[in-house]
């Protein structure tokens, strides 16, 4: 075989291996394309907050499910990915609350939702922290999740005081 054919063959093999490695790389964004489209299409901040909280709840449930499953390939990466995705959803919802307060938008429903859901999430996270399996694998992300959830809960409680009041109907 000529030298040029060998070089071309080698480059093809390298390209194929790089393509396989890229296909196996975990998705950096924690939302699927469909979820991102739903958030983008939501008309109000309350709807976006609701979606982020649903996705956070979903990620937390998937995390609990993965903890109960027997060890598999990429188990450690999957646990950390799910916890990071949960953190991202809660943080984005809290950011929408902060932005809504600054813009004096009517986000009372979203604020109430975050306040109630973060309390539920904290119970689950603290239970995982107390008796979770393989804690050393995801301990840092779990601590970040607890801190982020507490911050979101505190932000929601502060926002309840600062959010624009609901419209008042006047009696005629």
């Amino acid at each position: 075989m000529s030298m040029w054919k060998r070089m071309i063959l080698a480059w093809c093999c390298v390209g194929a291996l790089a393509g396989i490695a890229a296909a196996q790389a975990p998705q950096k964004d924690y939302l699927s394309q469909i979820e991102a489209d739903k958030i983008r299409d939501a008309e109000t901040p309350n709807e976006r907050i609701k979606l982020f909280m649903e996705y956070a709840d979903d990620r937390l449930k998937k995390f609990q499910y993965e903890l109960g499953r027997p060890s598999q390939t990429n188990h450690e990466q999957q646990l950390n990915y799910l916890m990071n995705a949960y953190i991202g959803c809660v943080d984005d919802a809290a950011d929408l609350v902060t932005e809504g307060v600054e813009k004096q938008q009517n986000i009372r429903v979203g604020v109430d939702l975050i306040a109630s859901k973060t309390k539920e999430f904290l119970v689950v996270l603290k239970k995982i922290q107390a008796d979770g399996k393989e804690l050393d694998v995801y301990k840092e992300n779990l601590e970040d999740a607890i801190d982020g959830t507490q911050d979101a809960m505190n932000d929601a409680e502060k926002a309840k005081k600062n959010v624009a009041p609901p419209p008042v109907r006047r009696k005629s």
Side-chain angles (χ1 to χ4, degrees):
M1 214 195 266
S2 73
M3 186 172 155
W4 289 106
K5 288 181 182 178
R6 287 182 191 158
M7 288 177 76
I8 291 173
L9 182 63
W11 280 107
C12 288
C13 290
V14 168
L17 290 174
I20 291 170
Q24 291 178 347
Q27 186 179 355
K28 296 250 185 228
D29 198 8
Y30 59 88
L31 295 175
S32 70
Q33 188 62 40
I34 294 170
E35 292 170 337
D37 289 343
K38 283 183 181 181
I39 288 173
R40 200 173 305 110
D41 293 342
E43 293 182 12
T44 66
N46 283 325
E47 292 173 12
R48 286 187 206 98
I49 291 169
K50 180 182 175 207
L51 287 170
F52 275 122
M53 295 310 285
E54 285 175 8
Y55 300 151
D57 189 36
D58 178 61
R59 299 321 188 263
L60 194 54
K61 286 179 181 172
K62 286 180 181 177
F63 181 86
Q64 290 174 295
Y65 174 76
E66 286 294 325
L67 272 180
R69 291 180 62 196
S71 186
Q72 62 187 26
T73 59
N74 297 330
H75 185 67
E76 182 176 323
Q77 290 88 355
Q78 184 68 14
L79 289 173
N80 284 307
Y81 168 77
L82 288 169
M83 192 55 66
N84 282 327
Y86 163 81
I87 296 166
C89 291
V90 171
D91 285 347
D92 284 346
D95 290 345
L96 285 172
V97 167
T98 303
E99 181 181 311
V101 169
E102 289 174 2
K103 292 182 177 182
Q104 297 182 350
Q105 295 172 322
N106 182 8
I107 55 167
R108 186 166 299 280
V109 173
V111 169
D112 292 339
L113 179 67
I114 288 180
S116 66
K117 289 301 255 179
T118 52
K119 288 176 187 172
E120 294 172 21
F121 293 159
L122 273 175
V123 170
V124 172
L125 291 170
K126 294 208 178 201
K127 184 177 184 220
I128 291 171
Q129 187 179 39
D131 52 44
K133 301 174 188 173
E134 307 172 61
L135 188 61
D136 57 324
V137 169
Y138 55 86
K139 183 178 180 180
E140 289 179 24
N141 286 328
L142 179 62
E143 290 171 356
D144 289 345
I146 291 171
D147 291 342
T149 304
Q150 287 174 333
D151 290 346
M153 186 173 63
N154 294 338
D155 290 348
E157 293 300 325
K158 288 178 189 173
K160 281 183 179 182
K161 298 172 188 167
N162 299 328
V163 73
V168 176
R169 293 189 174 230
R170 297 181 189 200
K171 296 180 183 178
S172 15

